[in-house]
Amino acid sequence: MSEINVSPAFTQIADFHASRLMAEILGAVAVVISTADGFEVAARARDAAQSSRLAAMASSIAAIGAVIGDETLSGACRGIFIEADKGQIVMVEIRHPDHILILTVVADEQALLGAVTYSARQTALVLAKA
Amino acid sequence: MAEYKLLITGPMGAGKTTAIAAISDVPPIVTDVQNNDTSVAKDRTTVGMDFGELALENGDTLRIYGTPGQERFDFMWEILAKGAIGLIVLTDNSTPDPVADLQLYLESFSTLIARTACVIGVGRSESHPAPSIDELSIAAQAKGVVCPIVPVDARERDQVLLLVDLLLTQLESR
């Protein structure tokens, strides 16, 4: 088992916000806060087995998004939004001074993309200063 | 002029990104981020993919993709293996268990290897002579893979090109 380079204090705060988002977002299926290299820091999910997988996938997708932003001269990638048949997935970057992290929210069809995005972005801003 | 896709895989730190940079004719696309795994002394690690291009003498082009090394990114392995004409496995003899590493990748990419071809490049074998090429060959055979296994310094263009040549030669002889 790998040990990750994130402080216990930050992990505790991230855990609180993962729990809060899971409760607040209508239709939330999973909330995962992970490092840029795909390690889960905090998570809440209807299917707990899904969270470490989501952490790794968020890492890959965010990295590819960053390259696309760079190659197209669009600037740094702040977020990635996936609209699927049965829900939506929002990934936003948490620009903490010590770590770049990713907040991923998976929600079912009850959720509104705009509402999920707003909640995720607000939480990312809070965590960036934690 | 045709374009072919070639895949490079292997454990974290084996030199996949370096190997692609060594032979690519274009600036490689790299998706590396800060490494947070304290068990590995490495500042950055690939989490999406690497990409480079290599023009062959006959006018064809090789599109070379590198996978992330860690097993938690195995979903990217599947995505990147699609359509590949062959696989280069880079191993690192300085890891705690190079044989287990090799077998993990041979097993994970067994479908691709079965329908295409494979070459194994062994990194850091000068500083870490064990396991020997023979031992790695036996480990590969145990996974049903018989293919060229050669020492490689991923920083050296000629040595990486040799791996590509060995792979293409196998494909031509099929």
Side-chain angles (χ1 to χ4, degrees):
Chain A
M1 181 93 181
S2 300
E3 279 192 27
I4 59 167
N5 188 22
V6 175
S7 74
F10 183 88
T11 302
Q12 201 174 358
I13 295 167
D15 195 61
F16 167 78
H17 285 285
S19 180
R20 181 183 57 75
L21 279 177
M22 193 70 182
E24 282 180 8
I25 294 174
L26 179 70
V29 173
V31 175
V32 179
I33 295 159
S34 53
T35 62
D37 59 340
F39 287 107
E40 179 185 314
V41 174
R44 291 289 183 282
R46 285 186 201 166
D47 174 4
Q50 201 183 37
S51 59
S52 58
R53 196 85 175 142
L54 269 173
M57 287 194 276
S59 162
S60 295
I61 293 168
I64 292 168
V67 167
I68 294 170
D70 197 34
E71 293 269 323
T72 57
L73 305 179
S74 304
C77 178
R78 296 167 53 201
I80 292 173
F81 312 96
I82 298 171
E83 197 173 7
D85 280 349
K86 293 179 183 173
Q88 35 249 323
I89 301 101
V90 171
M91 298 173 201
V92 293
E93 201 169 72
I94 301 166
R95 296 179 178 174
H96 189 275
D98 297 335
H99 316 276
I100 297 294
L101 298 125
I102 304 161
L103 166 61
T104 303
V105 180
V106 181
D108 64 20
E109 56 267 65
Q110 299 176 73
L112 295 171
L113 182 60
V116 177
T117 304
Y118 178 78
S119 297
R121 282 222 164 111
Q122 290 300 110
T123 304
L125 287 173
V126 171
L127 287 169
K129 293 173 186 162
Chain B
M1 290 188 294
E3 291 196 345
Y4 300 102
K5 176 180 178 181
L6 186 153
L7 191 60
I8 301 184
T9 193
M12 179 183 179
K16 303 176 292 296
T17 303
T18 304
I20 291 174
I23 59 172
S24 180
D25 297 327
V26 299
I29 290 173
V30 176
T31 60
D32 62 345
V33 299
Q34 179 187 324
N35 171 45
N36 286 290
D37 183 350
T38 53
S39 69
V40 182
K42 198 167 184 271
D43 289 338
R44 301 185 71 77
T45 184
T46 299
V47 294
M49 63 178 197
D50 297 316
F51 175 79
E53 284 183 5
L54 176 66
L56 301 176
E57 283 178 5
N58 65 0
D60 291 347
T61 302
L62 278 183
R63 291 183 284 121
I64 306 158
Y65 290 78
T67 72
Q70 300 92 322
E71 203 174 356
R72 66 180 181 279
F73 295 114
D74 59 359
F75 59 91
M76 284 303 298
W77 300 356
E78 260 177 60
I79 292 168
L80 293 170
K82 283 178 188 161
I85 60 160
L87 179 72
I88 294 174
V89 182
L90 285 183
T91 64
D92 177 357
N93 254 15
S94 71
T95 66
D97 194 345
V99 167
D101 291 344
L102 174 63
Q103 290 190 322
L104 168 70
Y105 295 96
L106 294 180
E107 205 166 303
S108 300
F109 288 92
S110 58
T111 307
L112 175 65
I113 295 169
R115 66 175 170 79
T116 61
C118 177
V119 169
I120 298 165
V122 184
R124 301 187 179 96
S125 57
E126 284 187 6
S127 56
H128 298 78
S132 66
I133 297 287
D134 283 349
E135 287 168 316
L136 290 169
S137 179
I138 290 165
Q141 283 177 43
K143 292 293 170 188
V145 178
V146 178
C147 71
I149 305 179
V150 294
V152 68
D153 183 335
R155 297 166 298 185
E156 296 296 326
R157 178 180 168 86
D158 288 348
Q159 294 187 30
V160 181
L161 285 177
L162 174 65
L163 294 178
V164 175
D165 281 345
L166 286 168
L167 192 70
L168 295 178
T169 304
Q170 285 183 79
L171 291 166
E172 281 166 9
S173 65
R174 288 194 166 198

